[in-house]
């Protein structure tokens, strides 16, 4: 086999000398050597036929065509909602994903909008192949005329050449940037009047493996815009890695709009053509291309010889059914959406069920409460209640002693009880807040795709910038004018907890409320004191001789007062344990709720908003992939 038998040698009419001319110079020459590449030539042929008294066959002329609506009117189906969902998905993601990540989805939306503005009655099919595969010969065979130049010289096709069977395809060809001089109509004949091919726009592409970079660029550009493609391979290059790795494998999802044709079977002896075809099917299966066998959707794979015409009618029939189905553009756009969704999957699909559960929220509240010193504040409030009760119900002598201690003597128990915040606790309060924010951000971002996890963490950290100061300010407003601002330190928390729910009184923390039984206890304590004084005076009067001697009665009275005072105080101490504990718990709860509210407003709500945004885009992504035609 020599290069002369290559399918691009063309039509077997000895026209190889024409290969040195451009497609625009020779593509319109008919079998009789006359030019026939436009409306004027067809009118001239019709006039000559009329003069000869013959009814010359006429191809549909552009000015004879019925007016048609150019707008693309997609039928009901999953494509419109998928496009809407993809558009919303891109809109919601622009602030979270970089431009490069969304570039392919944006391109698909732009191309879909451009295709929908154009004719839905036409199906644009590109004929692509490698150098010497015979794609131009097959293009001419389908068109029924030598429109595309063939010959020995490579490459013979330097620019896309289009052949349109019906009018109204100008917008589609403008979109493909096919120049007017390379737009053709089929030569009057059976191919031109084939009803099944009405609406077909066939485009012959340059070689995808051409040494000229601009040729490969044109192939890539046009392949991204056409509705379907016929890949022409030959027995020598059907397994070429460049074809499979650069085109077939990346376009595996477009199997339903793909034809793979093994050309030049006339060069294979015996059953070699079937063996090569089987091996081609195996390679396509490895590329992930679904094969449309036994009525299943997928790529059409067949063998033929464009030079001898063997198998060409079968391909023309398949192409005719494909064109008359009028769904090629919709299926192509749907496959493009599938491909864009597959590329976006890593940035939208999370592992597991990410979110911010109740447990994470409670743990965050616990850490903030610990950082603000809620527990210590509750203990301080309980001790404050007990001290007030002791002052109110204690004996005058004990109260006098406590007054003496409160004068500021070093080592007093009252002052020791107020020193509740070790210096190291004050220094680590801010660190505890930061740790709490970091942990809740990690919990919320766990399992999220990278960009969304980063957005959640940024929302948490941005909200936490003033959280320690806000916690301390909240403590001060609640009733701690002297609380120092140490980023939510425990001293501020204790001051807040020591104040009642009503806040402050006169700019100072209000004292704990007194139970209704305290006046009775105070009255009993006063009575015991009076008994002590009365008994004492009685004894003094007897000693100095003012009163008659009798030590028993005054001694008993005085002993009753001495014993009764501590007994009343002990009884009151036992009675105030429950109220003091409840008061401390209430103080802890109030400070805990205040810290939780501040943390929720500054950290949890922004994080929840980001999670809601992610769920929204996730729902849009599910809509985009829900009706996938490729199973991706």
């Amino acid at each position: 086999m020599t290069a002369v038998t290559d399918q691009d040698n063309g039509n077997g009419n000895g026209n190889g000398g024409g290969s040195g001319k451009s497609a625009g110079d020779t593509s319109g020459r008919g079998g009789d050597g006359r030019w026939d590449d436009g409306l004027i030539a067809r009118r001239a042929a019709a006039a000559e036929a009329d003069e000869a008294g013959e009814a010359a066959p006429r191809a549909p002329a552009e000015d004879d065509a019925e007016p048609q609506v150019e707008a693309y009117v997609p039928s009901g189906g999953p494509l419109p909602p998928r496009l809407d969902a993809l558009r919303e998905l891109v809109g919601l993601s622009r602030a979270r994903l970089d431009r490069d990540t969304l570039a392919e989805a944006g391109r698909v939306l732009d191309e879909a909008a451009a295709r929908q503005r154009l004719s839905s009655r036409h199906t644009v099919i590109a004929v692509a192949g490698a150098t010497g595969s015979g794609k131009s010969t097959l293009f001419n065979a389908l068109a029924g005329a030598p429109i595309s130049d063939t010959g020995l010289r490579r490459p013979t096709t330097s620019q896309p050449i289009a052949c349109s069977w019906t009018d109204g395809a100008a917008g589609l060809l403008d979109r493909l940037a096919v120049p007017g001089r390379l737009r053709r109509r089929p030569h009057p004949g059976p191919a031109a009047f084939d009803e099944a091919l009405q609406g077909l726009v066939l485009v012959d592409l340059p070689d995808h493996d051409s040494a000229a970079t601009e040729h490969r660029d044109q192939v890539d550009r046009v392949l991204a815009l056409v509705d379907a493609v016929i890949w022409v391979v030959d027995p020598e290059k059907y397994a070429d890695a460049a074809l499979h790795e650069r085109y077939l494998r990346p376009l595996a999802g477009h199997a339903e709009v793909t034809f793979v044709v093994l050309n030049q079977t006339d060069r294979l002896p015996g059953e070699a053509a079937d063996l090569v075809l089987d091996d081609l099917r195996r390679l396509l299966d490895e590329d992930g291309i679904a094969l449309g066998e036994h009525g299943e959707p997928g790529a059409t794979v067949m063998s033929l010889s464009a030079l001898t015409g063997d198998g060409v009618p079968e391909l023309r029939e398949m192409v005719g059914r494909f064109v008359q189905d009028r769904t090629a553009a919709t299926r192509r756009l749907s496959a493009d959406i599938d491909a864009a969704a597959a590329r976006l999957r890593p940035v939208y699909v999370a592992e597991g069920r990410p979110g911010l559960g109740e447990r994470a929220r409670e743990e965050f509240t616990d850490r903030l409460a610990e950082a603000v010193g809620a527990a210590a504040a509750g203990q301080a409030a309980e001790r404050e209640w007990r001290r007030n009760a002791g002052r109110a119900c204690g004996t005058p002598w004990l109260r006098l002693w406590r007054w003496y201690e409160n004068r500021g003597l070093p080592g007093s128990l009252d002052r020791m009880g107020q020193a509740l915040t070790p210096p190291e606790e004050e220094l680590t309060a801010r660190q505890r807040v930061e740790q709490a924010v970091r942990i809740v951000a990690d919990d919320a971002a766990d399992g999220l795709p990278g960009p969304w996890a980063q957005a959640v963490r940024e929302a948490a950290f941005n909200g936490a910038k003033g959280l320690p100061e806000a916690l301390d300010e909240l403590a001060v407003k609640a009733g701690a004018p002297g609380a120092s601002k140490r980023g939510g330190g425990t001293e501020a928390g204790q001051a807040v907890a020591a104040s009642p729910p009503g806040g402050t009184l006169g700019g100072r923390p209000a004292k704990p409320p007194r139970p209704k039984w305290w006046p009775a206890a105070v009255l009993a304590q006063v009575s015991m004191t009076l008994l002590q004084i009365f008994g004492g005076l009685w004894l003094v009067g007897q000693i100095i001789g003012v009163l008659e001697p009798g030590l028993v009665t005054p001694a008993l009275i005085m002993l009753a007062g001495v014993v009764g005072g501590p007994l009343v105080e002990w009884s009151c101490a036992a009675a105030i344990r429950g109220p003091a504990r409840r008061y401390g718990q209430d103080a802890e709860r109030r400070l805990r709720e205040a810290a939780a509210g501040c943390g929720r407003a500054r950290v949890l709500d922004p994080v929840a908003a980001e999670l809601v945004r992610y769920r929204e885009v996730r729902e849009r992504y599910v809509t985009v992939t829900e009706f996938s035609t490729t199973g991706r």
Side-chain angles (χ1 to χ4, degrees), residues 9 24 37 46 50 79 83 109 144 234 260 268 270 347 360 364 377 412 459 504 506 517 523 540 586 599 610 626:
N9 271 352
D37 61 348
D50 291 339
L79 182 59
L83 285 172
L109 289 173
D234 62 83
V260 182
L268 299 174
V347 297
F364 177 67
S412 64
T504 62
W517 53 265
L523 180 61
V540 171
D586 182 64
E610 288 297 331
E626 187 175 7

Side-chain angles (χ1 to χ4, degrees), residues 205-223:
L205 298 181
D207 303 330
H208 71 77
D209 61 348
S210 172
T213 305
E214 59 272 15
H215 292 182
R216 299 195 302 269
D217 293 341
Q218 289 189 59
V219 172
D220 295 343
R221 178 183 58 80
V222 176
L223 286 179

Side-chain angles (χ1 to χ4, degrees), residues 422-474:
E424 58 272 15
E425 291 292 330
E426 298 176 10
L427 294 176
T428 58
R430 178 181 294 274
Q431 297 174 2
R432 290 180 179 178
V433 173
E434 293 175 352
Q435 182 184 22
V437 173
R438 183 167 56 253
I439 292 175
V440 76
D442 291 341
D443 289 343
D446 185 33
L448 285 176
W452 300 100
Q454 181 65 23
V456 166
R457 291 190 177 94
E458 288 180 357
F461 295 149
N462 291 336
K465 288 180 179 178
L467 181 58
E469 292 78 6
L471 290 174
D472 193 73
E473 183 179 356
L474 182 66

